[in-house]
């Protein structure tokens, strides 16, 4: 680091940001992300009636039922699709899918850390053939390649580590026996989608759904359900009970999970789904995240020291905005002075290793707070030269 850059970083860290510029809520993380106060109030209010009670009894089963029907409404669930859930978050679902959905060979689009993680699982799985990996550099977007012998196409709707968003369309020429599995962890609930273009649209609730981690949810097509039933009935692989998709399907149909869920996660999730549906559902959420993310991209266009990391405007995420900062200004110092004032989690994905800020613009984050964040960043950058 040059002496000038170091000295500048020190003076950035020492800046004081006027209280009147600060956002009402300073949480801008890309997950875990902001939970609205109203959700926390409901959680506190449920006190003794739900928290600390059995998940095999109506109060908790009703929460699961509200989640399943609320998601069916939000995603206009196509005929025959089911909302299935289980414990372990999206990371667990990769293993569930490697056992219960990939028959022999998957094609993965890999363009960041999260898409790489699922590809790593199917590469290591002894019962599967070497996957077909279509790679693109961080910050850009690869396209699926229709290919025979592939029985699953897998990619993330939004690559949270880079802020690249992908179209959700079945690859050209894809056959009925080729399933499309979409990791929608950071996109689901914040970006419009036609679920009929997918066979498993899966996610965890700590991002656009403003809840806690530890749960996975998958919108499954009839073809995916049938694939899981066939694979798990076969003898070529051992499927641990905890990773059994058919067991999760059976439990979900009864508004249950295989083992004990975190009840607070269910409460916060049910509240957020219903709030979003009341606001106007997925179309509303999509419009809101487009508006808030555009504010940041427009701001970047006005500031010479800021450049969107994703060069292609069409691939820029509307829920995770990644902005590179001129090397002369230390982005960690910027994130750090904001953190000192209660504006948190705008650090970039650690392994990406860029001089960057990353802002989560999920549906719980309103325009007023994004405007305030921009004012705070202007205040800091105007004093960084
Ligand atoms: C956060 C995230 C994950 C990991 O989710 P966990 O619930 O922590 O396992 C996976 N994929 C994407 C795209 C994510 O953003």
């Amino acid at each position: 680091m040059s002496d000038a850059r170091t000295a500048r970083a020190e003076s950035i860290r020492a800046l004081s940001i006027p209280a009147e510029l600060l956002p009402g809520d300073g949480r801008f993380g890309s997950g875990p992300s902001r939970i609205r106060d109203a959700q926390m109030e409901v959680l506190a209010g449920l006190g003794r009636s739900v928290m600390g009670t059995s998940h095999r009894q109506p109060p908790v089963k009703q929460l699961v039922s509200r989640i399943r029907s609320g998601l069916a409404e939000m995603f206009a669930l196509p005929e025959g699709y089911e909302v299935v859930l289980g414990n372990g978050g999206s990371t667990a679902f990769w293993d569930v899918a490697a056992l219960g959905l990939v028959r022999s060979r998957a094609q993965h689009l890999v363009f960041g850390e999260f898409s790489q993680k699922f590809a790593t699982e199917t590469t290591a799985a002894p019962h599967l053939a070497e996957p077909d990996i279509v790679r693109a550099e961080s910050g850009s977007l690869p396209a699926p390649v229709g290919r025979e012998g592939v029985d699953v196409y897998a990619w993330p709707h939004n690559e949270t580590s880079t802020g690249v968003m992908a179209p959700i369309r079945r690859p050209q020429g894809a056959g009925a026996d080729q399933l499309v599995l979409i990791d929608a962890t950071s996109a689901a609930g914040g970006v419009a989608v036609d679920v009929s273009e997918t066979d498993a649209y899966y996610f965890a609730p700590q991002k656009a759904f403003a809840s806690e981690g530890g749960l996975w949810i998958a919108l499954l097509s009839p073809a995916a359900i049938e694939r899981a039933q066939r694979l798990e009935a076969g003898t070529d692989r051992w499927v641990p009970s905890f990773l059994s998709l058919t067991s999760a399907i059976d439990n979900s149909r009864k508004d249950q999970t295989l083992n004990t869920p975190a009840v607070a996660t269910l409460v916060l999730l049910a509240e957020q789904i219903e709030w979003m549906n009341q606001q106007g559902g997925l179309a509303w959420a999509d419009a809101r995240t487009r508006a808030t993310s555009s504010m940041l991209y427009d701001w970047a266009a006005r500031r010479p020291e800021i450049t969107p990391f994703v060069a292609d405007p069409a691939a820029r995420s509307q829920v995770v905005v990644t902005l590179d900062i001129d090397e002369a200004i230390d982005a960690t110092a910027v994130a750090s002075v904001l953190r000192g004032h209660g504006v948190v989690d705008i650090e970039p994905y650690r392994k990406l290793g860029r001089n960057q800020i990353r802002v989560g613009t999920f549906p719980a984050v309103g325009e007023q707070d994004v405007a305030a964040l921009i004012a705070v960043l202007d205040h800091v950058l105007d004093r960084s030269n």
Side-chain angles (χ1 to χ4, degrees), residues 92-315:
F93 192 80
W94 290 325
D95 292 333
V96 169
L99 288 156
L101 291 173
V102 185
R103 187 166 53 222
S104 134
R105 187 162 194 233
Q107 178 178 103
H108 295 269
L109 305 191
V110 173
F111 50 107
E113 291 298 325
F114 291 106
S115 42
Q116 177 62 60
K117 285 180 194 202
F118 186 19
T120 300
E121 292 305 291
T122 63
T123 304
H127 62 283
L128 298 178
E130 194 73 14
D132 177 25
I133 295 183
V134 183
R135 229 176 257 284
E137 255 176 74
S138 278
S140 54
L141 175 68
V145 185
R147 199 157 278 168
E148 269 180 53
V150 156
D151 54 74
V152 149
Y153 294 98
W155 70 90
H157 194 172
N158 185 68
E159 185 33 274
T160 319
S161 66
T162 62
V164 169
M165 204 164 82
I168 303 303
R169 245 176 274 120
R170 290 186 188 274
Q172 263 203 328
D177 200 34
Q178 297 182 308
L179 304 181
V180 173
L181 316 187
I182 300 299
D183 176 359
T185 308
S186 57
V191 184
V193 69
D194 176 358
V195 168
S196 71
E197 295 286 332
T198 73
D199 295 290
Y201 189 74
Y202 64 92
F203 49 93
Q206 72 274 24
K207 305 201 178 169
F209 285 105
S211 181
E212 288 267 62
L215 198 69
W216 59 259
I217 296 148
L219 313 181
L220 297 181
S221 73
I225 293 168
E226 195 196 319
R227 170 81 63 89
Q229 286 163 345
R230 276 179 198 269
L231 288 180
E232 292 192 20
T235 53
D236 74 315
R237 64 192 68 177
W238 173 57
V239 180
S241 329
F242 186 67
L243 299 175
S244 162
L245 187 52
T246 58
S247 153
I249 293 166
D250 293 343
N251 277 289
S252 299
R253 286 174 177 164
K254 294 182 275 188
D255 292 325
Q256 303 224 17
T257 45
L258 174 71
N259 64 323
T260 317
V263 177
T265 303
L266 300 176
V267 171
L268 296 170
L269 174 57
E271 285 299 315
Q272 183 70 358
I273 292 168
E274 285 167 12
W275 176 72
M276 284 161 60
N277 280 341
Q278 281 157 14
Q279 304 298 311
L282 198 53
W284 168 84
D286 180 80
R288 181 163 159 112
T289 62
R290 271 176 202 276
T292 47
S293 59
S294 293
M295 289 167 71
L296 286 157
Y297 292 121
D298 292 348
W299 171 74
R302 293 197 302 272
R303 291 230 55 131
E305 56 288 71
I306 306 291
T307 315
F309 172 50
V310 181
D312 176 6

Side-chain angles (χ1 to χ4, degrees), residues 66-78 83 219 273 277:
R66 281 170 57 196
I67 289 166
R68 295 182 66 233
S69 59
L71 290 173
E73 179 188 335
M74 180 180 293
F75 289 99
L77 211 63
V83 180
L219 313 181
I273 292 168
N277 280 341

